[in-house]
Amino acid sequence: MVSKKIAVLKEVSYQYPRSEGYALKDINLSIERGEFLAVIGATGAGKTTLCLSLNGVVPQFFGGRFFGSIEIGGEDTIDVPTSQLAVQVGEVFEDPETQIVAASVENEIAFILENLKTPRDEIVARIPEILDAVRLKGLEKKHPHELSLGQKQRLAIAAALAARPKLLVLDEPTSQLDPYGVRETFQLLKDFQAAYNLTVVMTGHAAEEIAEYADRVALLSEGQLKAVGSPQEIYTSFSLLKDNALRPPQVADTFQRIRQRSVEVIQTPVCLQDGIEAIRDLQTRVNICSPKISSQGEVLQTETILETENLFFNYPDGTIALKDVNLTVKKGEYIALMGENGAGKSTLAKHFLNLLQPSRGDVRFAGKPTREFQVSQLASRIGYVAQNPDQQIFTTSVEEEVSFALRNLGYSSTEISVRIEESLTEMGLLQVRDVHPLSLPKGDRARVVIAAILAMHPEVVIFDEPTTGQDDLGAQAILKVSLRLHQQGKTIIVITHHLHLMPDYARRAVVMGRGRILLDTDIRTAYHQVDLLKKTYLHPPQAVLLAQEIASQTPIPKLLTPAEVAACFKPRVRGRA
Amino acid sequence: MTTYKFQTVERDSVFTRLDFRSKILIMIVVTLLAFLWEDPIYEAVLAVLVLGACLAAGVKRGYITLLLAGMSPFYLFMLLTHAFFNVAQAERLLAVSNLHPIFTLPADLWLIGGLEATWEGFLYGANVMFKTMSLTLVIPLAIFTTDVDEMISSMVHARVPYKLAFIFSSTFRFSPLLWSEFNKIVAAQRLRGMALESMGLMKRVRVYARVVVPLILSALVRSQQLEVVLQSKAFNGDADRTYFHEVQMEIVDYFLISILFLFSIAAIYLRVQFGWGKFSVWF
């Protein structure tokens, strides 16, 4: 008789070689066949290690000390080589770029099948079948790097599914995707789960989607399994989430805040549709008021610092990346530049720094065309924090990293020392000034890069997808830095598709899609243009959709956050008998 | 945008349809001929043929220009050193005692004053230059016209150990990624005030040398990630696997192999027996 359990972890503890602590501690977990288990936890909680242990890479590849046992479909992950476990366990990693090994889409699918000695006729039959299922049909001969990020991740999933594993393990597969790509990935997995009784184990920070698609949620903290339960149970354990630097879905957050206002809420919903129904129910029995909100529509009357005029940019292969972009950035603004993957956001930012030159049109900094500046001159005035901190670290200590730019710009040694001290203090890195930057956790590595840029005292700081791959605490920490810089008078541009993070920071939203500016307005107006956002594959935060539901019955302002939506509700005062 | 394809040709031609084993033989025969002959005219014809084949196969003109421009200091060095210094060898090969001067450097020049450049030395330098050109151009002709996965299948069919074939093909697969990584690091340094535009050649070289350290670190991280990915994809380096790409020698391959074989035999025979292709001058 086939066991109902596909994976059984008993007393699993693991310590990486040359590491002091345990990455996993006493994990006991059974995973049922055909279930969708989401694993959540702060950065460093042990999610990746858990994923790698399920196909034996931990400890077979990394070594280290491993205790307990993991059985996958009856096979012990210690005894069976990873390459053999691949028959049962498919693995998908965070970065689509690093897991694609072949030079064409069809070869990528074929690779694992070839290794598993699948007969050629069977390989030929499975490729179109699986590509059709992940909606990549017609792209068989394409080089994987010609695909969008979302397509690449779907290809990685398809390659893992081609071997028809019983268990599919995905380590943060949606962290780099835009909201549309995230939902698309979840839906795809749900479809396969239903169609093939596939078991899915997935780590990630996408609380809204996990609540909607997962059957169970496991919460890891410092290598320990803190809680396992339904999305409803886990995402309404607010103190547990807070203690672990995790956030609930916005809908749950909103109803928790409503409850805190002494309004009776029967059950805190964790999915949007349930939330909308609960709002409808509340509207029938609770007073709705119009909350006071900060005005965000004012236009700054400062001078223009960055400007593009009829900007077009074509890549050498003919791809049109920017089309007639007209944008004016005033000194002291805080702008959220949003759009799908490939909308042209980073390409636009690179024009500000003269890293790319317009095919047509003009780009100006402080009134002067950027082509008249050297990149280094612009870089000292426009700080650019790129997405991946690791590609911006090239020295052997945090202090050296910060001083790199200052030496290039020819500052005196006294000035360099003062600025290093100032920057490291600002970023809270004084304690690790002599440490190799790459040995720091990802959040700290990002702060090293920011410190190095701040040392140049730029007038404008551009953050390019700064919250990608960060847990909620990490993301908020970086955005708080951006807010501090804004309060010091700097102009801030944050490129992002994490819309839920921006209302507390940005005043103005510029939405891009397919190389054009689709919308340039205050953030409240932008977030409530739901149809337009969907056109560029962005989904407004759940709080906005809940606010729109309320607004359909009662006139209220354009609300953005769970706190603002909750403030609409006040309990009815019972009349005295 | 990243250069991910390592200059793969986009045009379908006889070269893209040939089996990789035939292309390996083309490389071997061109190498053999390049070393067999010493006549600059023979070598020039060979180089022009290989260049023509590259263009016909669709190897990007920009790449060929870059390659030849990059090699040009070496070519110039070859021509000059042979013209000025290759006296004894030229005299021996031509069995003459006096070479034809082109010009003599003024006697008052320090160290090199009075040196004489000869036509025979110059032509021998041209022979070396064309030889190098053929050897350099035949590689993109074979590599850029072959799908990386077909390359592996062909090599395995040619009894090359699978692991070796995989490592060989991985070089072509990951070199563009490494190149893109290199560019990102340089871009990051420019964004920290490094004025690359106003640097002299030597300073630039020093900057590029410094990039090597983070590049190696990144390559190490990438190679570790790759190994994890490969194991997860059931890769164990074992040649006992199936192949999606069926590589089969076609008539055109057999025809080409026969021609190359016969041509090589004839070239060796003619060189040994009649001296065809030996170093000679026409004056």
Side-chain angles (χ1 to χ4, degrees):
Chain A
M1 196 183 130
V2 181
S3 162
K4 279 188 177 173
K5 294 178 178 31
I6 181 73
V8 180
L9 291 83
K10 281 186 193 157
E11 303 289 329
V12 174
S13 294
Y14 176 68
Q15 184 180 27
Y16 283 101
R18 297 176 297 283
S19 157
E20 285 177 14
Y22 277 81
L24 297 176
K25 287 180 212 159
D26 299 324
I27 304 270
N28 285 295
L29 178 67
S30 292
I31 304 168
E32 304 285 328
R33 281 179 198 272
E35 79 164 318
F36 190 141
L37 175 73
V39 181
I40 60 172
T43 305
K47 302 187 296 294
T48 298
T49 309
L50 181 70
C51 288
L52 293 174
S53 71
L54 290 173
N55 72 345
V57 167
V58 160
Q60 289 184 34
F61 175 76
F62 287 103
R65 302 172 72 194
F66 184 90
F67 303 96
S69 70
I70 302 179
E71 273 192 13
I72 304 289
E75 291 185 312
D76 195 310
T77 57
I78 293 279
D79 301 332
V80 183
T82 298
S83 53
Q84 275 181 41
L85 278 169
V87 178
Q88 295 209 63
V89 188
E91 193 99 12
V92 177
F93 302 93
E94 178 181 359
D95 185 358
E97 307 278 355
T98 55
Q99 59 191 311
I100 290 172
V101 296
S104 76
V105 167
E106 61 179 8
N107 287 337
E108 184 63 28
I109 306 286
F111 184 72
I112 187 168
L113 297 173
E114 291 173 324
N115 293 332
L116 292 171
K117 300 176 199 171
T118 310
R120 186 178 177 275
D121 292 346
E122 180 66 24
I123 298 177
V124 172
R126 277 198 212 176
I127 289 174
E129 188 187 305
I130 196 79
L131 288 180
D132 194 23
V134 298
R135 297 186 294 286
L136 290 176
K137 204 174 176 184
L139 303 175
E140 291 81 356
K141 304 283 178 199
K142 283 255 180 198
H143 194 289
H145 291 278
E146 289 176 86
L147 307 179
S148 70
L149 258 185
Q151 286 175 325
K152 279 180 203 167
Q153 197 58 286
R154 292 213 303 277
L155 175 61
I157 293 170
L161 288 173
R164 296 193 179 149
K166 294 173 184 69
L167 171 63
L168 184 64
V169 182
L170 307 102
D171 186 16
E172 303 210 20
T174 60
S175 69
Q176 300 192 14
L177 307 184
D178 57 36
Y180 181 79
V182 173
R183 292 195 76 81
E184 199 177 41
T185 306
F186 272 91
Q187 189 57 53
L188 176 73
L189 295 170
K190 199 72 187 165
D191 292 347
F192 269 89
Q193 183 200 8
Y196 300 101
N197 197 34
L198 177 74
T199 311
V200 178
V201 173
M202 178 177 180
T203 69
H205 299 290
E208 282 78 7
E209 285 75 17
I210 290 174
E212 195 176 326
Y213 291 95
D215 300 315
R216 274 201 307 162
V217 179
L219 194 153
L220 275 181
S221 174
E222 294 176 353
Q224 286 178 306
L225 194 57
K226 285 280 176 196
V228 187
S230 67
Q232 180 70 39
E233 287 164 345
I234 299 295
Y235 280 131
T236 52
S237 304
F238 296 100
S239 54
L240 178 72
L241 293 172
K242 196 176 172 201
D243 291 347
N244 287 285
L246 295 167
R247 66 177 185 89
Q250 276 206 338
V251 66
D253 188 14
T254 306
F255 277 85
Q256 168 69 357
R257 288 169 190 270
I258 293 173
R259 196 189 290 267
Q260 282 166 353
R261 294 174 67 83
S262 307
V263 174
E264 189 194 349
V265 175
I266 298 154
Q267 190 189 30
T268 304
V270 295
C271 296
L272 180 64
Q273 198 49 45
D274 296 343
I276 286 175
E277 276 161 29
I279 287 279
R280 285 178 191 150
D281 170 56
L282 279 181
Q283 279 174 313
T284 61
R285 58 187 176 86
V286 178
N287 288 331
I288 308 288
C289 60
S290 195
K292 279 186 187 158
I293 53 165
S294 62
S295 162
Q296 293 199 319
E298 75 270 28
V299 177
L300 279 180
Q301 296 303 322
T302 51
E303 59 194 274
T304 299
I305 191 153
L306 283 169
E307 195 176 8
T308 68
E309 198 180 327
N310 307 119
L311 171 64
F312 286 79
F313 180 72
N314 303 345
Y315 278 107
D317 66 357
T319 310
I320 303 169
L322 294 176
K323 278 181 226 164
D324 199 17
V325 172
N326 291 287
L327 181 72
T328 303
V329 179
K330 301 273 186 187
K331 243 184 188 172
E333 279 198 290
Y334 191 127
I335 298 177
L337 180 56
M338 302 182 293
E340 67 197 289
N341 291 127
K345 309 180 295 287
S346 299
T347 307
L348 176 61
K350 283 176 185 167
H351 276 84
F352 292 143
L353 289 146
N354 202 18
L355 281 172
L356 293 173
Q357 291 76 39
S359 305
R360 200 148 38 105
D362 284 312
V363 184
R364 286 185 286 272
F365 171 69
K368 256 176 87 178
T370 49
R371 62 175 177 275
E372 290 179 17
F373 293 89
Q374 286 188 354
V375 173
S376 53
Q377 290 170 328
L378 281 169
S380 64
R381 300 179 68 183
I382 308 173
Y384 180 69
V385 184
Q387 187 176 335
N388 185 351
D390 297 349
Q391 283 166 347
Q392 302 161 81
I393 287 173
F394 29 78
T395 65
T396 51
S397 79
V398 170
E399 185 170 326
E400 253 187 83
E401 201 62 42
V402 176
S403 67
F404 183 87
L406 304 174
R407 280 185 274 116
N408 281 328
L409 295 170
Y411 287 104
S412 68
S413 53
T414 326
E415 180 67 16
I416 290 176
S417 304
V418 170
R419 289 200 185 200
I420 289 175
E421 211 69 19
E422 186 187 277
S423 261
L424 292 179
T425 311
E426 177 76 26
M427 287 296 109
L429 293 167
L430 270 176
Q431 304 290 324
V432 289
R433 63 191 304 164
D434 298 321
V435 171
H436 196 297
L438 290 177
S439 67
L440 295 170
K442 189 172 179 179
D444 290 353
R445 298 205 293 274
R447 285 193 294 148
V448 171
V449 174
I450 297 172
I453 283 161
L454 287 189
M456 293 189 281
H457 292 179
E459 294 150 63
V460 180
V461 184
I462 302 174
F463 292 87
D464 195 347
E465 306 279 7
T467 54
T468 294
Q470 301 277 352
D471 58 22
D472 193 46
L473 202 67
Q476 296 289 358
I478 290 175
L479 289 174
K480 276 179 185 152
V481 169
S482 74
L483 192 62
R484 263 204 323 272
L485 296 173
H486 183 236
Q487 285 159 352
Q488 289 165 14
K490 297 193 190 300
T491 308
I492 306 290
I493 300 175
V494 176
I495 298 173
T496 187
H497 45 237
H498 289 156
L499 269 65
H500 68 276
L501 289 168
M502 298 317 296
D504 291 335
Y505 304 97
R507 291 293 175 99
R508 178 177 162 197
V510 176
V511 180
M512 290 190 74
R514 302 203 173 168
R516 286 181 190 278
I517 290 184
L518 302 177
L519 193 63
D520 181 357
T521 181
D522 68 278
I523 196 162
R524 289 195 185 278
T525 310
Y527 274 36
H528 280 264
Q529 299 267 337
V530 176
D531 291 336
L532 191 134
L533 290 178
K534 278 185 183 164
K535 265 190 202 163
T536 184
Y537 303 106
L538 295 176
H539 286 275
Q542 288 183 338
V544 170
L545 298 172
L546 294 177
Q548 290 203 337
E549 181 57 35
I550 300 167
S552 67
Q553 299 294 320
T554 316
I556 52 164
K558 293 185 169 80
L559 308 179
L560 296 178
T561 61
E564 288 177 357
V565 175
C568 289
F569 297 92
K570 53 182 180 185
R572 275 190 185 149
V573 182
R574 290 168 199 267
R576 282 184 191 164
Chain B
M1 285 195 133
T2 49
T3 323
Y4 48 82
K5 280 188 177 173
F6 203 63
Q7 306 289 339
T8 310
V9 299
E10 280 155 13
R11 187 189 307 163
D12 186 33
S13 69
V14 67
F15 294 99
T16 51
R17 288 190 294 271
L18 280 176
D19 188 278
F20 188 55
R21 284 165 285 183
S22 307
K23 292 179 207 172
I24 292 177
L25 192 66
I26 293 178
M27 285 203 278
I28 292 170
V29 170
V30 166
T31 310
L32 172 85
L33 294 177
F35 283 105
L36 184 72
W37 293 335
E38 285 182 311
D39 188 318
I41 294 176
Y42 279 58
E43 293 287 2
V45 169
L46 182 67
V48 168
L49 280 175
V50 178
L51 177 66
C54 281
L55 293 172
V59 176
K60 288 177 187 124
R61 279 163 198 265
Y63 177 80
I64 296 175
T65 313
L66 188 74
L67 194 69
L68 294 180
M71 292 292 285
S72 55
F74 172 75
Y75 296 149
L76 189 66
F77 179 75
M78 281 294 127
L79 290 172
L80 289 177
T81 48
H82 281 282
F84 280 109
F85 302 109
N86 195 353
V87 177
Q89 190 189 19
E91 283 178 348
R92 182 173 53 77
L93 290 170
L94 295 169
V96 292
S97 53
N98 282 320
L99 303 180
H100 296 77
I102 308 174
F103 63 87
T104 308
L105 292 174
D108 52 351
L109 277 178
W110 179 72
L111 209 62
I112 53 170
L115 271 180
E116 189 181 66
T118 67
W119 278 113
E120 289 81 354
F122 177 79
L123 288 171
Y124 195 86
N127 145 54
V128 176
M129 180 183 82
F130 287 126
K131 221 186 265 294
T132 322
M133 215 179 268
S134 302
L135 295 174
T136 334
L137 288 172
V138 76
I139 296 170
L141 176 65
I143 304 292
F144 295 172
T145 55
T146 314
D147 179 282
V148 176
D149 297 278
E150 281 173 20
M151 214 181 270
I152 296 184
S153 299
S154 291
M155 287 170 86
V156 170
H157 277 81
R159 311 251 164 113
V160 175
Y162 176 67
K163 262 189 189 167
L164 202 66
F166 187 82
I167 292 168
F168 179 77
S169 70
S170 297
T171 313
F172 297 108
R173 219 175 261 157
F174 294 101
S175 300
L177 291 179
L178 222 54
W179 175 239
S180 137
E181 201 90 9
F182 173 85
N183 284 325
K184 280 179 187 164
I185 297 170
V186 172
Q189 296 198 344
R190 293 176 78 194
L191 290 173
R192 300 265 196 90
M194 193 182 70
L196 204 61
E197 301 93 330
S198 50
M199 280 181 186
L201 183 68
M202 287 317 287
K203 215 168 173 188
R204 272 190 192 215
V205 170
R206 276 206 297 276
V207 166
Y208 291 141
R210 275 208 304 268
V211 173
V212 170
V213 177
L215 194 65
I216 289 172
L217 276 176
S218 140
L220 286 174
V221 171
R222 260 186 195 283
S223 65
Q224 195 185 50
Q225 283 170 339
L226 179 66
E227 199 168 340
V228 170
V229 167
L230 287 175
Q231 291 202 22
S232 305
K233 288 177 184 282
F235 177 86
N236 58 7
D238 193 348
D240 182 20
R241 69 202 290 276
T242 51
Y243 292 91
F244 170 52
H245 286 280
E246 271 187 331
V247 287
Q248 218 168 354
M249 302 280 274
E250 305 285 344
I251 294 173
V252 66
D253 290 294
Y254 289 115
F255 180 71
L256 182 78
I257 289 170
S258 312
I259 295 284
L260 289 173
F261 189 70
L262 290 174
F263 189 82
S264 304
I265 300 280
I268 294 167
Y269 177 76
L270 291 170
R271 174 77 170 89
V272 174
Q273 201 62 28
F274 303 106
W276 286 28
K278 70 173 189 179
F279 181 58
S280 62
V281 290
W282 58 89
F283 46 83

